[in-house]
Amino acid sequence: MSEARFLGKEVIFDETIFDCLIVGSGAAGFNAALHLFDKGVTRIAIVTENRLAGTSRNTGSDKQTYYKIACAGDQKDSPRAMAETLFAGASMDGDLALCEASHSLQEFFHLVSIGVEFPHNRYGEFAGYKTDHDPLQRASSIGPYTSKMMTERLEAEVQRRNINIIDKTRAVKLLVDAGSGQVFGLLALERGESFRVYFSKNIIFASGGNPGLYRNTVYPPSQFGSSGIMVREGVRFANMTEWQYGIASTKFRWNLSGSYQQVIPRYVAIDENGNEEEFLSSYFSSVRNLGRAVFLKGYQWPFDPEKIGDEGSSLVDLAIYIEKHINGKRIFIDYTRNPRGLALDDIDAAAREYLAKSNALAAAPVDRLLALNSMAYDLYKSHGIDLAKEYLEIDVVPQHHNGGAEVDIWWETSIKHLFAAGECAGTHGVRRPGGSALNAGQVGGYRAACRVAGSVRNDVFFEDAILKTKAVSIIEEFGKEFANVRSGTTESGGKKAGDLLISLQEMNSRAIAFIRSGDGIETGAKALEAIAREPVEMPDTLTGLFNLREIILMSRLMYSAVLAFIQGGGKSRGSCLVVDSIKNIRDYVKGVEIDTRYRDKILNTAYIPGVENRFESSFRTVRPIPKSDTWFEEVWREYREGKFFSEKD
């Protein structure tokens, strides 16, 4: 009864029963593994499709940020104060905000202790700076590659402990027991060729975001996302509508935030005949206002519809969209010359003061960049792009998903013993302070490890024969979902999986990116249903087939959520502009109506397994910030007795 076949291949059953599997090899996944091991849970393994391909290892910005409680100078801060900042971003649960704040220094100094060299002064104060949506100076950084260094140092600690890393292995299907509603393992594709089942008492999903939804993103090409695996099992998702979109370079994918904007470069549009235009001048009433908006993009980098009116910083993003996607021009940033008419003696006072204090009042933008943040210049130089000599082609693209799998205060999903940490967890609200995502990933991994350490089970359910019987039944049923996969060539009636995926990604980039219209989304949703029914030619690699299936599920979930939000009266908010029609996009240059109706609501969306075409979305009220009891003797007693590990709120 233990034998099984899937897509014509034999399924191998791994002999180990793990206490926990971690899916993903980024900063969140490595951190979860470390905390598990250090809490005595050592029968664990990290399952990863490509150890070197994750987002946290391959992305950054001019000065990539880690957000924590302020701990330098005379700033007055506390866990609750930071939680209130996170909570104020709207549509965020207060208990999660308090968890992220309370553990922020713990996880920050954990990184410091393993060699991530966040800067401090001679007295040991870890100085901070102010990031977007930040009332204090809670941000810290080691430069463009903060998350890369975090990942590398965390991995080194994982290797030092000899924690098993199962590389070149892609999670394909979670094994969930229908009776108990708990996860007990996963079906995985090894090296794109063979299938293996791993049994585990707990699984922590830490596989990053879902850039595979879109054709053009700032994510590294190696990053695709795999949350569709959770969608398939009916995991409840939160705030799927909420992404961050921002200006990024397209030849080499990188966020153009912070210093890249604060030096006030020149924005250029080039038409099909090679004619060049400084297009921003037609959107701003003066070069002073233009320079101020570009400078503020450094702090206010994600697109924000609230910042379109009064010639705000996000008018820059909207202008890029109109010139590129409506007028058909290519858009570039030029660091070799100032915007036409810009005089440093006459720029906005805040911009001039910042540049003066940074000794960066040089004549040209590239010289200001070299003075302000030479590492930001060197980054592009290392990828064969010299900002002192060439234009940088740009677009406004997806940068981070604020939504994801809904979790409780232990980062456990709606499926028992399945956890989500990092970007695949929907712990953020509509607007989050810059850098809070890195902290959330570290805290989420720690909290999940705490919960697992307090609940490792040794019940009869995990006897080998019982597990295999359940797994065989699930795999056989899963195989039926691939009935429309055709062997052979396209003449057999199937379309290429890669072609279908590209069509879907391009449609999503038009319909559910940072500019959205009700009509466009309804049209996209209908087209998506047709794509889901298309017969598919068996691709050369099975990975391509699973990528397509998972992105179809993720797309259907996203369209369901966006439609529910707009049909419920939701308007522009966060990093999304909701318009009546793309044809009337210029009507929104002067400003838009911002949604306030759902600030205290979270939009839940889930697929109902086994029911064709059924996705459900509904709003719920956010959980408030708890009024926690911090009486020491009571906290000490509960801690000694291990209640906070084993008892779930």
Side-chain angles (χ1 to χ4, degrees), residues 153 308 389 551 570 588:
R153 296 310 307 150
I308 294 175
K389 297 179 180 179
I551 289 304
Y588 297 88

Side-chain angles (χ1 to χ4, degrees), residues 403-517:
E406 184 172 67
V407 297
D408 65 9
I409 65 169
W410 300 107
W411 270 248
E412 189 171 11
T413 71
S414 55
I415 290 181
K416 297 175 184 176
H417 301 282
L418 174 66
F419 302 81
E423 191 177 347
C424 66
T427 63
H428 304 297
V430 176
R431 295 193 297 187
R432 60 177 180 81
S436 60
L438 291 185
N439 177 63
Q442 297 300 283
V443 171
Y446 170 76
R447 296 286 296 187
C450 288
R451 176 70 175 146
V452 170
S455 63
V456 171
R457 300 159 291 158
N458 294 299
D459 52 44
V460 69
F461 181 85
F462 280 91
E463 288 184 3
D464 185 71
I466 295 175
L467 293 177
K468 286 184 178 179
T469 299
K470 291 179 179 293
V472 168
S473 176
I474 290 172
I475 292 168
E476 288 177 349
E477 188 65 27
F478 182 41
K480 296 177 183 178
E481 294 187 20
F482 295 84
N484 68 342
V485 177
R486 305 284 189 260
S487 298
T489 64
T490 51
E491 282 72 28
S492 65
K495 291 188 176 181
K496 289 184 178 293
D499 293 342
L500 278 173
L501 179 60
I502 289 172
S503 296
L504 177 53
Q505 291 173 324
E506 290 177 344
M507 182 181 73
N508 291 345
S509 292
R510 293 190 299 270
I512 53 172
F514 81 108
I515 308 290
R516 302 172 186 171
S517 70

Side-chain angles (χ1 to χ4, degrees), residues 60-63 247 255-262 297-298 301:
S61 59
D62 75 306
K63 191 168 63 180
I247 300 170
N255 295 324
L256 289 168
S257 56
S259 309
Y260 293 114
Q261 304 294 338
Q262 290 162 336
K297 285 303 300 176
W301 174 69

Side-chain angles (χ1 to χ4, degrees), residues 86 89-93 96 100 132-133 209-210 214 219 237-245 301-303 398-407 422-437 440 516 558 573-576 602-603:
L86 298 173
S91 300
M92 181 177 188
D93 283 316
L96 295 179
E100 290 184 7
D132 46 306
H133 309 307
N210 286 278
Y214 298 103
Y219 292 79
F237 281 70
N239 291 333
M240 277 296 294
T241 55
E242 306 308 316
W243 283 74
Q244 282 187 182
Y245 304 93
W301 174 69
F303 173 73
Q399 182 265 345
H400 187 274
H401 196 184
N402 283 3
E406 184 172 67
V407 297
E423 191 177 347
C424 66
T427 63
H428 304 297
V430 176
R431 295 193 297 187
R432 60 177 180 81
S436 60
R516 302 172 186 171
M558 180 92 171
R573 70 173 191 174
S575 198
C576 162
I602 285 176
L603 179 60

Side-chain angles (χ1 to χ4, degrees), residues 206-262:
S207 60
N210 286 278
L213 276 168
Y214 298 103
R215 182 65 176 153
N216 300 310
T217 76
V218 76
Y219 292 79
S222 60
Q223 180 69 13
F224 189 84
S226 56
S227 290
I229 297 170
M230 291 192 286
V231 175
R232 182 180 286 113
E233 306 308 320
V235 169
R236 187 167 57 247
F237 281 70
N239 291 333
M240 277 296 294
T241 55
E242 306 308 316
W243 283 74
Q244 282 187 182
Y245 304 93
I247 300 170
S249 54
T250 56
K251 180 180 176 182
F252 162 59
R253 298 182 181 186
W254 202 256
N255 295 324
L256 289 168
S257 56
S259 309
Y260 293 114
Q261 304 294 338
Q262 290 162 336

Side-chain angles (χ1 to χ4, degrees), residues 63-264:
K63 191 168 63 180
Q64 196 180 19
T65 300
Y66 193 100
Y67 194 69
K68 54 163 182 49
I69 291 174
C71 56
D74 60 356
Q75 293 187 89
K76 296 176 175 60
D77 205 358
S78 69
R80 189 167 191 89
M82 179 173 161
E84 288 172 349
T85 298
L86 298 173
F87 189 62
S91 300
M92 181 177 188
D93 283 316
D95 50 5
L96 295 179
L98 185 58
C99 289
E100 290 184 7
S102 299
H103 291 291
S104 66
L105 284 182
Q106 167 192 308
E107 293 306 294
F108 176 79
F109 285 115
H110 175 239
L111 292 168
V112 171
S113 73
I114 63 174
V116 182
E117 296 186 352
F118 289 107
H120 62 76
N121 63 16
R122 69 183 66 183
Y123 306 108
E125 294 178 294
F126 284 82
Y129 56 90
K130 196 171 183 179
T131 184
D132 46 306
H133 309 307
D134 176 19
L136 296 174
Q137 293 176 335
R138 294 184 174 125
S140 187
S141 174
I142 63 169
Y145 289 116
T146 300
S147 65
K148 181 177 188 292
M149 177 60 72
M150 287 168 54
T151 304
E152 290 173 348
R153 296 310 307 150
L154 288 163
E155 182 187 14
E157 292 299 306
V158 163
Q159 292 177 336
R160 192 168 67 83
R161 290 161 175 78
N162 293 316
I163 295 172
N164 187 15
I165 300 177
I166 304 171
D167 202 358
K168 308 302 180 186
T169 299
R170 188 190 196 283
V172 168
K173 165 76 172 173
L174 291 167
L175 303 179
V176 180
D177 178 54
S180 63
Q182 67 185 41
V183 71
F184 65 92
L186 61 84
L187 173 67
L189 176 65
E190 295 183 319
R191 300 187 178 276
E193 298 175 353
S194 58
F195 293 100
R196 183 180 292 268
V197 167
Y198 294 94
F199 295 120
S200 184
K201 299 176 181 180
N202 300 274
I203 293 178
I204 299 175
F205 224 80
S207 60
N210 286 278
L213 276 168
Y214 298 103
R215 182 65 176 153
N216 300 310
T217 76
V218 76
Y219 292 79
S222 60
Q223 180 69 13
F224 189 84
S226 56
S227 290
I229 297 170
M230 291 192 286
V231 175
R232 182 180 286 113
E233 306 308 320
V235 169
R236 187 167 57 247
F237 281 70
N239 291 333
M240 277 296 294
T241 55
E242 306 308 316
W243 283 74
Q244 282 187 182
Y245 304 93
I247 300 170
S249 54
T250 56
K251 180 180 176 182
F252 162 59
R253 298 182 181 186
W254 202 256
N255 295 324
L256 289 168
S257 56
S259 309
Y260 293 114
Q261 304 294 338
Q262 290 162 336
V263 299
I264 316 178

